[in-house]
Each structure stands twice: as structure tokens, then as C-alpha cells.
Amino acid sequence: MPLGTYKEALSARSTEQKILDVSQDGGIVSSLLCYALDEGIIEGAVVAGTPDEDWRPIPTVVTSSDEVIAAAGTKYSMSPTLSALKEATRQYGLEKVGVVATPCQVQGLRKAKAYPFTRFVADKVNLIIGIYCMENFPMASLDTFATAKLGFDSLTDASKMDIGKGKFWLTKDGEDKGLAIKETHGYEQAGCNVCQDYVAEWADVSTGSVGSPDGWSTVLTRTDAGESVFKAAVDAGLIETKPMDDVKPGLPLLEKLAKGKKDKNTAERERRAKMGVRIPAIY
Amino acid sequence: MFDKLKKAFGGSDEAPKAEKKVEAAPVKEEVKAEAPAETKAASAKPRIGYIHLSGCTGDAMSLTENYDILSTVLTDMVDIVYGQTLVDKWIHGTFAEEMPEMDVCLIEGSVCLQDEHSVHELLEAREKSGLIVAFGSCAVTGCFTTYARGGQQAQPKHEAFLPISSLVKVDAALPGCPVAPEMIAKTVVAVCEGDLDYLKPAMDLAACNAGCGCDVLTNVIRQGLCSGCGTCGLACPTRAMGYSEGRPSCDRDRCIKCGTCYVMCPRSWLPEGRIKKETGL
Ligand SMILES: Cc1cc2nc3c(=O)[nH]c(=O)nc-3n(C[C@H](O)[C@H](O)[C@H](O)COP(=O)(O)OP(=O)(O)OC[C@H]3O[C@@H](n4cnc5c(N)ncnc54)[C@H](O)[C@@H]3O)c2cc1C
Ligand code: SF4
Ligand code: SF4
Ligand code: SF4
């Protein structure tokens, strides 16, 4: 099962223009957070913002829709998001917290729930929105793509950053410039090379762009909590959906990419283990 | 059930048999792992001891913070048979009182090598206990007693403090400064149910006697495993863990060497089986 356990797969999009204006894809992450905040399902969330708008993600605690929307959009570099859970539960005193997490972050969080070596933090997380992730890049790699490879003066000139259709895209003055994904290989962080999860298999609900048309997202509802929040947001008219079978390229592409990642990185784990280098112990 | 546990900690190869034997806890022989276990009648509940060496009682306090299950645990699930704080029974100065046999002995605090009584109590506990659990980071790694160096009134010579695994074999480690209430609760339940799968990571950690913010540097970043997820920062009780270029970077002047960051990191070990069980995914 390259996509993990899920209840339902749908193609979906926010119905709110002010979310769609800034969201990476269908704005599913932001819509779910806004809905959960409004309904009191969560009191706040930890997300990755860019306060300096320099594309460097900074873990941020948000407690209002405006703050959620201000943090929308993908930053393709590492955000130690989970570290901000301390702030959310201690300084902010939040009892019900949402988290937007890449697959490796979902793993950290689920481990912290199963083995809570830190008191009264992980148990306060009641909504994990997972985002698909093929790999992540150090800021210096992004700088290289922008300047050395795409001829920008600076990474900060880019108004949008995206990966899709086989390219890494940067937008400047309304014009998109693409770099073949092949050219980005070797620039991802090393830890991604042993990662076997593409679609955040342990999140409550997972979403990403692959499988759905531009401006839409592919959503997998997984746990009861994830399913109920997603359905409620749809019922409230905040999200519109289409059956996955009606959209192109659909689940087959998502499954293919997820399996490709698993196979490649499983082989890398085996290679490292053979050399006698450390790999994570699995219990 | 309980028998299964002790067996896994190096006991005899004999399959667990009758209920009576299961509860009997022929402690000493099983730990030594030599002769087949000898049975003795004992209470039906695991006999728990709690020893307070050079610790701050924070771990015992943490246990009591399991308000909603505490009374059930204490009355129905375990018998506390030894411990100064909890049952006012301990071997003191003259060693007049005898240490009882224990199925599980929780030991809080590191051991001061120059304190004869502490050393004696620890060694005695090893003799008398089926399982020794290093309870909290001071027992596991030394934690901030790592920095003790003597020269203070009224025992200037009390200067060397070691994790308990330096002196005796430890069967399971529960790090944390203090070890979290939820973690204690989950462990107690696993012990009572003989859930070895859950206890396995704590058993594998038992031999560890060093802990520091640099563990994530040595064992994660330098191994090309770090994903910059931030779990180590979530774990750190002193906020010594900051981040630079997506990598944890420990403020060594703040770090108290509790070892929690590395233990929590999903790239040190990942409890896949347990996560799947808890989430149904
Ligand atoms: C490093 C990375 C790689 C990705 N790779 C893929 C891929 O291969 N295929 C695919 O289909 N989708 C991928 N995605 C997911 C995709 O880019 C979108 O994040 C997702 O579709 C959600 O879009 P949205 O419009 O619903 O979210 P929005 O409403 O735009 O909200 C995005 C949310 O993501 C959070 N976020 C942004 N950057 C990060 C980060 N670095 N770490 C953690 N959280 C962050 C923001 O705080 C915000 O809450 C990747 C995302 C990241 C961060
Ligand atoms: S590829 Fe895996 S390890 Fe790398 S950022 Fe994505 S989820 Fe984390
Ligand atoms: S928890 Fe582990 S993988 Fe995550 S940031 Fe810390 S060292 Fe890196
Ligand atoms: S960095 Fe923090 S969690 Fe890690 S050992 Fe030091 S005090 Fe403990």
C-alpha cells in the first residue's frame, strides 16, 4: 500500500478566494485550519511561516484565520515545526493544537504520542494535517537554484516557488522559470534519502498537489478525526470536492511516485546498513 | 504475564507455566540467568520498590501526577514494598532493616561513589530485584549531577556521581527530567500486562549511560539522518535545543545532559508497530 491506510481519496479545493490567492495548491491545509479554529476543534496550530519573506520557513504558532492565511504556501526548506509545540502548549497554553506536518514530522509527532518522554505536549495535539513530500532542501540549495541555475539576482526576487510537471518553478514579475527536477538532484538534504513516506501515512488527513489539476489538491482522509474535520468543512461549504476517478492524472500517478520513493530510499537504507553506517532502528 | 517479562530480561528458558509461578517472582535466580527459576509464593501483584539516590524526587512526583489512574495503580495493580518516600521502608545507617525482594525496583537519581550508603543500597537492590529500572535521567545518564565536583559543605568529598548502569546491570531506562507522567503510566500498564513490545525500546536503552544534546549531532546529523523535523526541540526540557540551517544546535551551557532529545528523535528509533496500533493506520 504505497499510500498507507486511508478512508477516502478526493480531489478538493477551497471555496474561499482569499485562501486560493495565497495557497500553494487547493488551499486545503489553510481551509481545514481556519475551519477547525472557528469551530473550536483546535485553539491554535503550529505551521511554517516566513516572517522575513525570504523563503526561510520559521515554526510559528497561529491562533486566528488571518495568521493561518499569512503562513500559507510551501517553503521548500526545513522547518523544525515540532519544536514550536512547546511554545504552543506552554506560552500560549493551548489545550487543543493542530499541526501541519511533512511525513517525517508526522513520524516525530506520532512517536512523541506513543512514547511521551516529554510531559503534557504531544497529548494536546488533536489534528495532524500531513502534506506530501518527496524531498526537502537546505536554503543554500534553493539559493543555487535561483541564482546559479535560473539566473535570478537573489532567491528573494521570487514571488512563488513550486514543484510540478517535472520542474522546480520560480516566479518573478509574473513570469515562471522552470528547472528540470533532474537538476535539483544532489541538492536535497541527506536525511531525505532514507525517508520512505511520501504521503504522510500517519497523519489524520493528508494532502498534496500530485494527482489533481492545477489549483486543486489530492486529499486522503485517514483517521476518524481527520475524516470528520474534512467532511464538516465540506458540509460547511468551505471546500468543494470531486471524485478522484474524475480527475487526471489521479491516484495512479500518486501511487507510482509514492512507490518510487519507497523503493529508492529503502535501497539507500540497505546500502547504508551494509556499510555499517547508522540507520533508524524500527520497533 | 509478569513471568514473560522477567524471562525476557535474561531469565530461564522455561515457558511460563502455572499462574502461581507467574506471580511468584523468584527474582535473584532469574536475573543471574543461570539456574532454572525456583518458585516462591508471593503476592499476586508485582512488588514494586522505589529507591531515591541522588535525585530530586521529581520523578516520584511525576508518578503521582497521573491523578486519574494513580489510586487504581496503587491499590489494584501493584504493591509498593520498599521506599523511603512512598512506604517509609528503607535500609538506613545500621542496615538494620532488610530490603525485601522486589519484582521491579525503580531507581531515581545517580549514585554518589563516596556515599557508602547509596552504593550499598544500589548493590543490594540489584540482588533483591527482578528488574531494575533507571527512573528519570539522573539514574539513566547522570543528568545534571554530571557536573557535580565536590568541595561543598558538609561533605566536600562527595564529588563523583555516576549513572546507575555504571555499577549494576539495568534492565530498562526511562529518561526524562523528570520522566513524564504519561510515560510512567504507559510503562506501568505495559509492565502489568507483560507488553514486551512496548517496553523493548526502554530495555534497549538500559545500557546507555551517557546523554547529551550532542547525541543528535553524533548519532543523527553526522550519520546523514536528520530531517530537521524539530522533535528534539520539542523534547528538550531546558530549551537548549535551537536550530541552524534546519539542524538542531545545542546550547551546551544550557544542556543538562538528560538525553531526552536523542531518545525522542524519530531518526534514532521509530516505534512503527506501536504507532500503527494506536492510530489504526
Ligand atoms: C518540502 C515540501 C515538499 C513537498 N513535496 C510535494 C510533492 O512532492 N508532491 C506533492 O503533491 N506535494 C508536495 N508538497 C506539498 C505541497 O507543496 C503543499 O504544501 C500542499 O499541497 C498543501 O497545499 P495547500 O494549498 O493545501 O496548503 P496551503 O493552504 O498553502 O498551506 C500550506 C501549509 O504548509 C505549511 N508549510 C509550508 N512549508 C512548510 C515546510 N517546509 N514544512 C512544513 N510545513 C510547511 C505552511 O505553514 C502552511 O500551513 C511538499 C511540501 C513541502 C513543504
Ligand atoms: S522527504 Fe521525508 S525526510 Fe525529507 S523532508 Fe520530506 S518527509 Fe522529511
Ligand atoms: S529530532 Fe532528530 S531528525 Fe528531527 S531535527 Fe532533531 S535530530 Fe533531526
Ligand atoms: S539538549 Fe535538552 S534534551 Fe538534549 S540532553 Fe540537553 S537538556 Fe536534554
Side-chain angles (χ1 to χ4, degrees):
Chain A
M1 278 267 277
L3 303 184
T5 308
Y6 62 90
K7 294 178 193 285
E8 204 177 1
L10 287 157
S11 193
R13 179 172 75 173
S14 172
T15 56
E16 290 235 20
Q17 196 54 43
K18 72 173 179 204
I19 289 181
L20 289 173
D21 286 345
V22 288
S23 66
Q24 190 72 17
D25 298 304
I28 299 305
V29 172
S30 297
S31 298
L32 287 178
L33 288 181
C34 289
Y35 177 76
L37 276 172
D38 287 347
E39 295 299 312
I41 297 165
I42 56 173
E43 297 164 347
V46 281
V47 301
T50 31
D52 297 328
E53 303 201 350
D54 58 357
W55 292 106
R56 185 185 293 275
I58 304 290
T60 309
V61 182
V62 293
T63 54
S64 69
S65 296
D66 286 346
E67 291 171 320
V68 166
I69 291 168
T74 303
K75 298 95 201 172
Y76 286 94
S77 192
M78 290 79 76
S79 164
T81 294
L82 300 188
S83 64
L85 268 177
K86 263 280 173 53
E87 201 180 339
T89 51
R90 304 280 201 266
Q91 276 101 320
Y92 286 72
L94 305 180
E95 292 289 332
K96 294 181 283 182
V97 187
V99 176
V100 181
T102 55
C104 58
Q105 293 169 340
V106 178
Q107 289 176 356
L109 200 41
R110 287 295 186 198
K111 176 176 171 180
K113 278 178 171 285
Y115 286 84
F117 283 105
T118 295
R119 53 175 33 221
F120 307 138
V121 176
D123 60 330
K124 300 195 158 65
V125 173
N126 62 351
L127 180 62
I128 306 176
I129 304 178
I131 49 184
Y132 308 163
C133 178
M134 187 58 87
E135 74 245 306
N136 208 346
F137 302 96
M139 286 305 291
S141 298
L142 298 180
D143 282 334
T144 304
F145 301 158
T147 56
K149 295 193 183 261
L150 289 174
F152 284 46
D153 289 335
S154 155
L155 177 66
T156 51
D157 292 348
S159 56
K160 173 143 186 160
M161 193 181 290
D162 196 15
I163 296 180
K165 303 190 187 74
K167 290 200 166 157
F168 174 91
W169 299 94
L170 284 183
T171 311
K172 184 186 162 189
D173 302 331
E175 199 194 325
D176 297 335
K177 277 198 173 184
L179 180 70
I181 283 292
K182 228 174 40 205
E183 294 252 350
T184 68
H185 290 162
Y187 285 89
E188 72 280 6
Q189 63 170 344
C192 295
N193 297 145
V194 295
C195 176
Q196 293 156 310
D197 185 354
Y198 180 51
V199 286
E201 295 179 26
W202 293 338
D204 289 316
V205 48
S206 308
T207 185
S209 64
V210 167
S212 292
D214 275 355
W216 288 72
S217 295
T218 303
V219 177
L220 300 168
T221 55
R222 299 188 183 279
T223 61
D224 292 342
E227 183 186 46
S228 85
V229 172
F230 183 76
K231 286 215 155 127
V234 172
D235 290 344
L238 297 177
I239 291 174
E240 55 177 319
T241 65
K242 287 184 195 173
M244 208 56 218
D245 289 341
D246 293 357
V247 301
K248 288 261 170 296
L251 282 190
L253 179 63
L254 193 63
E255 281 169 353
K256 185 178 147 217
L257 292 183
K259 185 171 181 307
K261 176 174 178 178
K262 271 186 202 293
D263 292 348
K264 181 164 145 278
N265 293 346
T266 301
E268 172 65 9
R269 276 189 190 228
E270 284 162 7
R271 190 183 76 90
R272 291 193 191 186
K274 234 192 205 151
M275 287 193 290
V277 181
R278 226 177 245 266
I279 54 166
I282 306 297
Y283 287 91
Chain B
M1 285 268 233
F2 204 62
D3 200 61
K4 195 171 114 196
L5 249 186
K6 277 176 295 182
K7 206 171 142 247
F9 287 128
S12 80
D13 284 324
E14 265 185 67
K17 279 179 283 184
E19 235 358 64
K20 189 165 144 274
K21 170 160 185 277
V22 168
E23 314 297 347
V27 183
K28 197 163 154 185
E29 290 77 3
E30 291 216 352
V31 169
K32 291 274 155 72
E34 240 64 274
E38 180 189 294
T39 38
K40 236 181 273 171
S43 83
K45 299 181 249 172
R47 297 161 302 179
I48 310 280
Y50 163 71
I51 290 180
H52 188 182
L53 297 179
S54 295
C56 68
T57 330
D59 302 295
M61 292 284 288
S62 214
L63 164 74
T64 66
E65 279 182 88
N66 284 297
Y67 308 109
D68 43 347
I69 62 160
L70 190 65
S71 66
T72 315
V73 169
L74 294 184
T75 50
D76 302 343
M77 292 171 80
V78 302
D79 271 335
I80 308 252
V81 296
Y82 183 76
Q84 187 185 3
T85 331
L86 298 178
V87 287
D88 194 22
K89 181 169 173 62
W90 63 304
I91 50 171
H92 42 78
T94 61
F95 311 130
E97 226 172 318
E98 256 218 67
M99 191 183 278
E101 304 243 307
M102 295 169 271
D103 296 308
V104 180
C105 184
L106 307 175
I107 302 188
E108 171 169 351
S110 61
V111 55
C112 174
L113 274 185
Q114 291 77 34
D115 178 33
E116 192 192 337
H117 173 254
S118 292
V119 172
H120 174 82
E121 201 180 17
L122 176 59
L123 297 179
E124 185 77 2
R126 179 66 281 181
E127 295 280 305
K128 293 286 169 74
S129 314
L131 316 174
I132 294 274
V133 177
F135 190 52
S137 286
C138 283
V140 180
T141 70
C143 202
F144 57 81
T145 66
T146 301
Y147 299 103
R149 58 202 57 206
Q152 289 182 314
Q153 297 296 6
Q155 296 283 3
K157 190 184 173 183
H158 283 192
E159 72 170 58
F161 293 75
L162 288 171
I164 60 169
S165 64
S166 307
L167 267 64
V168 298
K169 177 177 176 286
V170 172
D171 301 296
L174 287 182
C177 185
V179 52
E182 310 98 293
M183 197 56 220
I184 302 173
K186 284 187 131 175
T187 304
V188 169
V189 170
V191 166
C192 291
E193 290 180 346
D195 182 354
L196 280 180
D197 291 340
Y198 189 73
L199 299 170
K200 189 79 176 39
M203 288 155 62
D204 290 350
L205 285 169
C208 163
N209 63 359
C212 176
C214 29
D215 293 348
V216 296
L217 177 62
T218 314
N219 298 332
V220 188
I221 300 176
R222 291 183 66 197
Q223 310 286 333
L225 292 173
C226 181
S227 74
C229 66
T231 312
C232 46
L234 185 174
C236 181
T238 62
R239 298 182 199 235
M241 208 50 105
Y243 292 84
S244 163
E245 296 306 327
R247 294 289 172 266
S249 148
C250 168
D251 179 345
R252 302 273 293 274
D253 291 336
R254 280 188 87 105
C255 172
I256 54 167
K257 293 190 180 283
C258 70
T260 317
C261 45
Y262 178 64
V263 170
M264 289 273 283
C265 168
R267 292 285 167 96
S268 60
W269 54 276
L270 190 64
E272 261 187 36
R274 182 70 187 194
I275 290 171
K276 285 182 178 159
K277 200 169 141 193
E278 284 189 4
T279 58
L281 294 172

